Amino acid sequence: MRVTNGTRFVNSFVENVRLGDLAVSHVCLGDNQLYPEDTSSMRRLTVELPQEGTLEWAYWVHAVAAVQDLVTPKRYMQLTVGGERYMVRSSFNALPSVMFESNGVFLFYPDEGASLHAVGPGDSVEVKAVIPVIDDTPLSIREQDGSGSRSYSLPFLPGTGLVLQWMKGQKKKSAGCYFTLSGSGSGRAHIKGQGQKNGHGRGETVSSVAWPWSCRVVDGSTHSWLNAFIDGDTTMRLTMQGYNSCNALMGRPRYPAFIKTFQLKILSIA
């Protein structure tokens, strides 16, 4: 049971209850026993997430997205609270797992949560993220010399690349494409350039990666780049345009690997 009394005791754990000089063994509200509680393990932990639109937030949402459907020894998030460790979403080792909701809530399985005595609001928990290189969903343009765009729900991270692939359709034409990967909030281009396959071949498939420090792809040229996170950008947009019998054009962001530890303030526990 927790109690708030003025400003000195705010959401504090009740260690004991007395009625004058007599110790109280039970406190009930109707049929519900409030003290002592049936369990002293936390079931719900709410933390303050990094501020949206900041670089810290960008790494956080990338980490959460990475473990949404897959957790491995090289791809995981680990929560440490009250001296106990938990694997976020699912576990591949002997540690228990904890679920995470996008609003900053961790949910523990019954009798697996850390002690309610161990931490309180205002304290911090630690979340370690180990994330490998990850490719996002591709933008595919099937028609010859076609154009298209796709929005991505994740922001640009420094070191993000753009994977490109297309096929040269005609023998005497140098097929290629224009591409721009930009931040949706600012509109600033992180990777902008042109790829081209010269020569007399037909039906040749070209694959390459444009990096924000060098957008040259095959026989193409660099237009501009910006290998930096822009405050306020929360998503990205990719646009591509094929030319000179460019077929089966495909592009997708490639996010960098990172290891990062987040310190998150506890807002409430239950």
Side-chain angles (χ1 to χ4, degrees):
M1 184 175 74
R2 290 185 173 270
V3 67
T4 296
N5 180 16
T7 59
R8 183 180 179 187
F9 300 105
V10 179
N11 199 25
S12 299
F13 191 88
V14 176
E15 299 285 351
N16 59 75
V17 178
R18 304 188 71 83
L19 185 60
D21 294 330
L22 300 176
V24 174
S25 60
H26 295 82
V27 176
C28 297
L29 179 63
D31 295 331
N32 297 320
Q33 180 175 305
L34 303 181
Y35 170 84
E37 289 185 284
D38 294 335
T39 177
S40 60
S41 298
M42 66 178 66
R43 301 175 298 279
R44 182 184 180 95
L45 168 69
T46 304
V47 299
E48 184 177 35
L49 299 180
Q51 183 179 351
E52 184 174 335
T54 63
L55 180 59
E56 186 83 354
W57 171 86
Y59 278 108
W60 174 262
V61 294
H62 270 270
V64 170
V67 302
Q68 183 72 35
D69 300 312
L70 179 65
V71 174
T72 72
K74 295 182 179 180
R75 181 173 178 166
Y76 66 87
M77 295 177 72
Q78 180 178 283
L79 166 70
T80 301
V81 53
E84 303 291 338
R85 294 182 299 158
Y86 301 86
M87 305 305 299
V88 178
R89 296 206 182 275
S90 63
S91 182
F92 53 82
N93 50 30
L95 295 178
S97 59
V98 60
M99 300 307 296
F100 176 75
E101 299 180 347
S102 59
N103 58 353
V105 175
F106 290 95
L107 297 175
F108 299 89
Y109 289 98
D111 301 323
E112 290 188 353
S115 172
L116 283 168
H117 300 267
V119 292
D123 294 335
S124 293
V125 300
E126 179 181 288
V127 179
K128 179 181 179 181
V130 177
I131 308 299
V133 172
I134 295 177
D135 287 354
D136 211 325
T137 305
L139 164 62
S140 297
I141 302 173
R142 296 299 180 185
E143 63 271 21
Q144 181 171 293
D145 295 338
S147 63
S149 63
R150 186 184 185 104
S151 295
Y152 292 90
S153 61
L154 294 173
F156 181 89
L157 287 181
T160 296
L162 178 61
V163 180
L164 292 162
Q165 180 176 294
W166 71 93
M167 187 176 69
K168 188 176 184 294
Q170 294 189 30
K171 186 174 182 180
K172 296 183 179 181
K173 287 190 175 183
S174 299
C177 67
Y178 297 101
F179 51 83
T180 302
L181 182 66
S182 58
S184 295
S186 65
R188 294 283 301 277
H190 289 284
I191 303 176
K192 184 176 182 179
Q194 172 191 5
Q196 183 170 296
K197 176 58 179 174
N198 296 337
H200 295 284
R202 177 189 293 131
E204 298 180 53
T205 298
V206 182
S207 296
S208 191
V209 182
W211 299 105
W213 50 85
S214 176
C215 296
R216 185 174 179 82
V217 177
V218 194
D219 301 311
S221 59
T222 298
H223 295 174
S224 62
W225 64 87
L226 177 62
N227 185 32
F229 175 79
I230 299 177
D231 288 341
D233 276 1
T234 58
T235 59
M236 292 188 300
R237 187 170 184 82
L238 171 62
T239 61
M240 298 191 301
Q241 168 73 62
Y243 63 87
N244 280 352
S245 298
C246 171
N247 292 283
L249 177 58
M250 184 278 291
R252 65 199 304 170
R254 173 166 289 175
Y255 305 123
F258 63 89
I259 298 175
K260 188 170 178 59
T261 299
F262 302 88
Q263 299 291 335
L264 305 176
K265 179 182 176 181
I266 297 175
L267 297 179
S268 66
I269 60 174

